Amino acid sequence: MSRIFVKVCGITTPEDALLAVEAGADAVGFVFYPMSPRRVDPERAAAVARCLPPFVSRVGVFVDAGRDEIARIVEQVGLDLLQLHGEEPPDALDGLPRRALKAVRVGRGFTEADALRYEGRVAGLVVDTRLVGETVMPGGTGVPFDWSLVAHLRDKVKFLMLAGGLEPDNVKEAIAAVRPHAVDVSSGVERLPGRKDPERVRAFLQAVRAAEEVP
């Protein structure tokens, strides 16, 4: 299997950002959704971003944010990539200030068509968990979904990132089931919301790299 891109999301401190980088992460994510327990304000995110080496991608996570707000935070923080986790329609993704990944929540009633309507308009897709009866939290649930629902999606999209309840103990199995280009972890490597556990971060990256060794 080819190398898998790893993003550690929900970063709120320089210490956790550098921990993720030292463990081998390719990107760190800053959540700008006001209702998230991992929310970080742009000023703090900018300070953390300045600590990162240039080869690490700085990803901004937004939920139904206005185009002007996104553009302002992109410039203030120095974001390289956007990750949109709301109910943004496909035509809202045109003309954004940076390349974007569009998250699609997977749960009861999900079909591949739900995800494929964004293909061609974004740099890639993120598949995340939709809990039964849940309409508020757009991510960070800490609960995995049925990976078989997206088992054939990788071959139909340019770039597929797997999220939703990933942790050191299940990410290798998840990669085998979905064969994603990338994985995204947040609560699965935390000691409390917004603060990472060094041992779990390192174990997660080690598990991902071990999964790459499997044909």
Side-chain angles (χ1 to χ4, degrees):
M1 184 177 292
S2 59
R3 189 180 187 279
I4 296 169
F5 185 92
V6 178
K7 170 175 164 272
V8 178
C9 201
I11 294 294
T12 62
T13 69
E15 293 80 12
D16 284 352
L18 293 174
L19 164 67
V21 172
E22 290 164 3
D26 303 287
V28 299
F30 303 108
V31 179
F32 299 108
Y33 179 49
M35 294 181 64
S36 172
R38 301 166 185 88
R39 178 188 179 274
V40 63
D41 62 62
E43 293 79 9
R44 186 168 183 81
V48 176
R50 287 194 293 270
C51 298
L52 295 170
F55 57 82
V56 176
S57 296
R58 297 146 173 85
V59 184
V61 179
F62 298 88
V63 178
D64 296 316
R67 191 177 297 266
D68 290 344
E69 177 188 0
I70 292 175
R72 175 177 58 80
I73 294 176
V74 162
E75 293 304 321
Q76 184 174 357
V77 179
L79 297 177
D80 303 302
L81 186 67
L82 309 177
Q83 191 167 319
L84 307 181
H85 268 261
E87 299 299 327
E88 299 91 353
D91 59 4
L93 306 179
D94 297 333
L96 292 170
R98 293 289 187 274
R99 294 184 305 156
L101 303 175
K102 178 66 185 82
V104 179
R105 293 190 287 166
V106 181
R108 187 172 57 191
F110 171 83
T111 67
E112 286 188 352
D114 297 332
L116 292 176
R117 66 196 181 109
Y118 293 102
E119 180 65 10
R121 290 184 178 266
V122 290
L125 299 176
V126 182
V127 283
D128 203 346
T129 302
R130 181 188 294 277
L131 298 178
V132 175
E134 182 274 313
T135 59
V136 177
M137 290 307 295
T141 64
V143 178
F145 61 86
D146 180 357
W147 299 318
S148 69
L149 295 173
V150 297
H152 303 291
L153 193 57
R154 182 190 188 278
D155 296 330
K156 301 176 182 179
V157 300
K158 179 169 55 178
F159 182 86
L160 182 66
M161 176 179 280
L162 176 63
L166 298 180
E167 57 185 39
D169 292 338
N170 69 7
V171 68
K172 188 174 181 180
E173 179 184 359
I175 289 170
V178 180
R179 300 177 298 115
H181 300 95
V183 292
D184 188 4
V185 66
S186 185
S187 61
V189 293
E190 287 181 335
R191 53 184 175 86
L192 54 89
R195 293 308 309 270
K196 304 309 180 193
D197 181 303
E199 290 187 6
R200 292 186 66 79
V201 170
R202 296 184 186 105
F204 185 87
L205 267 295
Q206 290 168 1
V208 173
R209 301 307 172 213
E212 295 170 348
E213 301 298 322
V214 179

